[in-house]
Each structure stands twice: as C-alpha cells, then as structure tokens.
Amino acid sequence: MGPPGLQVLLLVLLDCWASVSAQARATLAVTTEALNPTEPASTTLRSALSPRTPGSPRVPGPSSGPRPTPVTDVAALCVCDLSPAQCDANCCCDPDCSSMDFGIFSACSIPVVTGDSQFCSQKAAIYSLNFTAHPPQRVFKLVDQINPSIFCIHITNYKPALSFINPEVPDENNFDKLMAASDGFSLNAESDVSFTIESDAPNTAKYEYGVQLQTSDSFLRFPSPLTSSLCTDNNPAAFLVNQAVRCTRRINLEQCEEIEALSMAYYSSPKILRVPNSGTTVPITVQSIVIQSLNKTLTRLEDTDVLKQAFAEAGAVKLCTNVVLEVKYSLTYTDAGEITKADLSLLLGTVSNAVVPLQQKFEIRFIQQNTKPVPLSGNPGYVVGLPLAAGFQPQKGYPFRLPGIIQTMNRYGQLTILRSTAEQDCLATEGIRTPVLFGYNMQSGCKLRLTGAAMCPLVVETVKSLLKGQGFPDYVAPFGNSRAQDVLDWVPVHFVSQASHVKNSCQLPVALVIEVKWTKYGSLLNPQAKIVNVTANLISSSFPETNSGSERTILISTAVTFVDVSAPAEAGFRARPTINAKLPFNFFFPFV
C-alpha cells in the first residue's frame, strides 16, 4: 500500500487532475454550444459534467454545428476530361460524350468523384453505364458519402477553434492514466451505415475495344514482331484494332510441312466466337487465294480449297510450295459489339533455300456492318486528280448549331465550276457543274443572250447563280483526309468582288476566277500537298442599258488555277562547336 503520506499526495494530485479535466470538458462543451445556440448552455454543461454509470451504453451525442461547405462541386468535376471539345475514352463524366460514344465504352474509368476526403460527410458523384438501354445511357447519382474514419472533419472550422492546448503525448508511463481518464470514442450514428458502390450496368456479353477475339478453343492468333523482327505466334488479335505488320521466320525447308505457321489451315480453321464466352461461332471464309511463283508472278485460283505445303528437291535447290506469305483478315462487326462475318485473303508462294529466313505479312481490319467507307482525296496530302474537299459552317441564324463543317455526301459536288457544253448556252447548262480537281488548271464558259426587256437585278442574280452554283463553300480542307470537326484547321475561302463603276450602267458578273495556293508539307522524301489559301474573285463588267428590242451576247467564264507556293528547301547544318575556355591571367608568365 505504500506510506500514508504518499497515498495522501496521490489523492490530492488525482483530485486536482479531475478538477482540471472537468474544467476542460466544460470549456469544450461551451465551445460546442456556441456553434449551436439553439441548445441551452446549462444542459450542455450538465451533460458534460454528469458522470456515466459503469456498464451503461454510451449514446452518441447530436451533431454539433453545420456541415462543411464543399469547395468543389463534384457534379461538375471531371478529372478524366483531358481533351477539349472531344470525348475521352471511358470517361463517363465527360460532357462532350454522347450516347454513341457510351456504346463503345467498356466501363467508367473513374466511377466515383468526391471532394475533400477528410470530411466526415461529403457529396459523391457516382457514374455508371446502362448497356440495356438503346442507345446505351450514362447513369448519374449524387449521394452523401459518410467517412468511416474516426479522424475526420466533422464541423466547420472557425478562427477561435484554431488554437488548442498542447496535448499530453502518451508514453509507457502515462498510457494507463490517459486511458482511464478518457471516456472512449463516440461516432455519429450515420457512420455505421456502410457506403458501397454497386454498378447499375449489367454484365453484358459483347466485344469491347482492345479485347482479344476469342475462338472455340482459345483466341485468334495474329503473328507480330515483339522484341525483335521474328514472328511471335501467341499474339492475340484485339477487337477494333487495325494492324498491318511484317515479321520474319527462321525455318528449315526440309521440315516446312510440319510448321503450322506456314500452312493455310492454321489461319482458316479457327472459328471466332460471335460474342465473348458464347457458343455461337463465326467461321472464317476464304475469299481469295493467290499463288506466287519463284519469279514473282501472281496467279489467282478459282477455288478456295485448303492447300497443304509440300517439300520438294530440284537438284541442289530445295523448295517448299504453298507456303503462306501474306494473311489478310477482314472482320465485320455490329454496333452492339458482335462479330458477324470473317473473311480471309491469302497469298501462297514457293520458297527456296535462297530466301530463308522467310518474311511474312499479316493484316487485320474491322468494318462496321451496314456502313460504307468514306473516300478521301488523299492521306494526308491531296492527290492530283482527286476533288477538293469543301463545305460551309452554319451561321448564327441557322436553326441548330453544328460543331463542324457541313459537307455534301457527293464528294465531286463540294466545290464545282460551270461546265462547258457544245451548245454554249448558259441557260441550257444551268445546274450542270464539273468538280474542281486538285492540280488541274481548268477554264470553262458559256454565252448569255440579253434582250432589252431583261431587268438588270434579275440578270445579275441569274449570272451569280451560274457562276457560284447552288451552294458555294465557305471552307476548303487543307488535307485530303481533314476531319469536319476540326474547324480551325480548314482554310476559309476569301471572296473578292471587282467591278468598274459607270453611271447608268448594269454591273453584270462575267467571270469567276478561283486561285488555290498549295505547298509541299512534311518530309522532303515524301512531301504532302497542303492547301494554304483559296481566293474566289468575282469580276463584274459595266454594260449600258440596252434599248428596247435590241439584243446583246455576253461571254460568261470560270477559271481555276493552282499555284505552288512551296519555299525551296535549304540544307541546314548545325553550327560548329566553339570552345569556351578561359586561361588564367598568368598562364604565359614569365614570357608575357
């Protein structure tokens, strides 16, 4: 028990510590009450100072003070939106994504967006995809998330609460005392509610971008070079990933009949699953077989029966026939992610020991069902003889706003000029146009007969319609493969009018001259044609008012000129290196 004096001293110290603890609790209760003035201070003090009987359950106190005001609106926050005015893949919170984009999403890359994770209660934006809807839809929910951690910000901080007493650091000597003095931990009743994320999107069976194509036994193999130029046969073909590769094989011609990668059946026998993990298969149909001889001549076979490679010897020359040299897959898919058709084109050849190691070419491309490929005027630069891509952008008064260039489906009707005919009658050739082809300087014309009864404004509008056509474009594509949504890359058409003003005369347009300036863009070894400027010059002439009964014939003409404005290439060399070295001032002492 110890000496009696020591017991009395311990009792005094415990009594003082209890008093200080009670005062601290009272101060804390008053501070809490100040944030919630609707409760009386006496009740708060009484509840803080009243002892709790041992074994009685502790009831969590009510929430004090307002919830913290979120600094960030999680509903408008999207951390995966990296591309402006463009939909990012698997970014469900991207406002630029449409229902068509959601159809090719595999999942939401960021399903939950939250603010400050230190708050005990905060808003959370939950994103998911509903693939059962047609078209697929994005599901958005805004919920209150409860932080299960006991170390969280529960009330709003204010200036007086920024100062705290220095806490006593627990150690091996005072740990038991602090535990006995503490009333334990209490949590809000709301924190007992678990927060779980359940995806609303069903586990639908469909191919998604980048998923390997499954077959009845494993997956569709697409040989490719990986770490070296040698072919790796275990490389899987991925959905919607177009590829064209070349690789080499080191083979022994005497064993060519036993190598599967050289046989036609190795590429035509697999059966692709229509959708992943399903029992419906799509067979690979051989569309064409081309035979290549030793002297590189090509012969297409009529039938598509499976041919086997065979080894033969002609004196000292060893040969292997019907060896696969090129493989081209063409897979047709639907917008629902299903494979509906698989075509195969093969190039078989005869290989001798002089061409070992063997080089093979593999290609795979995906075509969407019920769609037609969009023809281009070049990739990327324009090709001589192909039409110019042109269109117009809706003005402010248009019924709806489109984020791109509007083009007609007829690529040969986007930028046209008047077409000459044998009759040379402008009114008879109205509506007959000829496309503007890149690199071709063109000129056309017709004759217009005017009588004295013709009104000048009516004639002017008729001639303008003849020269410009039904819809003269406002923009021309800089490259042959320019996309319509890249409006800032398109070249505007500068329309200039020239007229000579004479009194008592009719200003009648007589010619439309289009000048297209282009330059060579890119590497000197493979320059690409790029249009940099387009000017349309409408030339008008003054004609005196004709007398009644008189007739006048006017020549109407159009011309297109292509001007190469490429700057001559200049050889560039790096500057010669200079030695920036400083010698000490007494380096030549005592000679200098």
Side-chain angles (χ1 to χ4, degrees), residues 408-522:
T408 178
M409 294 298 295
N410 181 16
R411 59 192 295 248
Y412 286 91
Q414 296 180 3
L415 180 58
T416 59
I417 61 174
L418 183 65
R419 183 177 180 180
S420 299
T421 59
E423 293 80 8
Q424 293 292 315
D425 188 359
C426 292
L427 298 180
T429 61
E430 186 177 3
I432 302 177
R433 314 285 293 181
T434 184
V436 177
L437 305 179
F438 181 79
Y440 286 6
N441 296 333
M442 308 169 65
Q443 187 171 1
S444 62
C446 62
K447 295 180 180 179
L448 181 64
R449 294 179 177 85
L450 298 179
T451 60
M455 302 296 295
C456 179
L458 180 61
V459 175
V460 170
E461 293 299 326
T462 303
V463 175
K464 282 186 178 181
S465 178
L466 287 171
L467 294 174
K468 299 175 62 176
Q470 185 177 3
F472 195 79
D474 298 331
Y475 292 88
V476 174
F479 293 104
N481 64 346
S482 297
R483 301 186 303 175
Q485 58 265 32
D486 300 333
V487 183
L488 298 179
D489 295 339
W490 286 58
V491 179
V493 178
H494 302 282
F495 204 87
V496 181
S497 299
Q498 293 183 1
S500 57
H501 298 282
V502 180
K503 293 183 179 181
N504 299 328
S505 63
C506 180
Q507 301 295 328
L508 187 64
V510 294
L512 178 64
V513 180
I514 301 176
E515 184 184 51
V516 181
K517 295 181 181 180
W518 64 280
T519 183
K520 296 176 182 178
Y521 182 83

Side-chain angles (χ1 to χ4, degrees), residues 248-266:
T248 57
R249 293 186 187 274
R250 297 175 182 176
I251 61 174
N252 186 1
L253 286 182
E254 296 179 355
Q255 301 176 356
C256 69
E257 298 179 356
E258 302 175 0
I259 302 177
E260 293 183 348
L262 304 181
S263 64
M264 173 180 171
Y266 181 77

Side-chain angles (χ1 to χ4, degrees), residues 263-476:
S263 64
M264 173 180 171
Y266 181 77
Y267 304 98
S268 60
S269 59
K271 295 182 180 180
I272 304 175
L273 300 186
R274 186 180 182 92
V275 293
N277 304 323
S278 68
T280 307
T281 60
V282 178
I284 297 177
T285 305
V286 179
Q287 294 293 336
S288 65
I289 300 177
V290 179
I291 301 296
Q292 177 179 297
S293 61
L294 285 176
N295 56 1
K296 306 301 181 180
T297 58
L298 302 178
T299 304
R300 182 168 181 174
L301 302 181
E302 296 296 335
D303 54 357
T304 57
D305 297 336
V306 178
L307 302 178
K308 296 183 179 180
Q309 66 272 29
F311 174 74
E313 291 188 62
V317 180
K318 299 179 180 180
L319 302 175
C320 190
T321 59
N322 300 330
V323 175
V324 175
L325 299 180
E326 291 186 9
V327 178
K328 294 183 179 180
Y329 288 107
S330 179
L331 304 182
T332 305
Y333 70 97
T334 63
D335 53 358
E338 300 179 357
I339 301 295
T340 59
K341 187 179 180 182
D343 297 333
L344 176 64
S345 300
L346 294 169
L347 174 63
L348 308 181
T350 302
V351 181
S352 64
N353 51 4
V355 295
V356 175
L358 176 66
Q359 186 181 56
Q360 291 179 308
K361 180 181 178 181
F362 301 93
E363 182 179 348
I364 184 172
R365 58 191 180 95
F366 295 84
I367 302 175
Q368 189 173 356
Q369 192 177 25
N370 300 327
T371 57
K372 296 181 180 180
V374 179
L376 302 175
S377 297
N379 190 21
Y382 277 99
V383 178
V384 176
L386 295 182
L388 267 64
F392 67 94
Q393 189 178 18
Q395 303 298 328
K396 295 182 178 180
Y398 208 71
F400 52 90
R401 182 71 174 175
L402 295 178
I405 301 296
I406 299 178
Q407 298 175 266
T408 178
M409 294 298 295
N410 181 16
R411 59 192 295 248
Y412 286 91
Q414 296 180 3
L415 180 58
T416 59
I417 61 174
L418 183 65
R419 183 177 180 180
S420 299
T421 59
E423 293 80 8
Q424 293 292 315
D425 188 359
C426 292
L427 298 180
T429 61
E430 186 177 3
I432 302 177
R433 314 285 293 181
T434 184
V436 177
L437 305 179
F438 181 79
Y440 286 6
N441 296 333
M442 308 169 65
Q443 187 171 1
S444 62
C446 62
K447 295 180 180 179
L448 181 64
R449 294 179 177 85
L450 298 179
T451 60
M455 302 296 295
C456 179
L458 180 61
V459 175
V460 170
E461 293 299 326
T462 303
V463 175
K464 282 186 178 181
S465 178
L466 287 171
L467 294 174
K468 299 175 62 176
Q470 185 177 3
F472 195 79
D474 298 331
Y475 292 88
V476 174

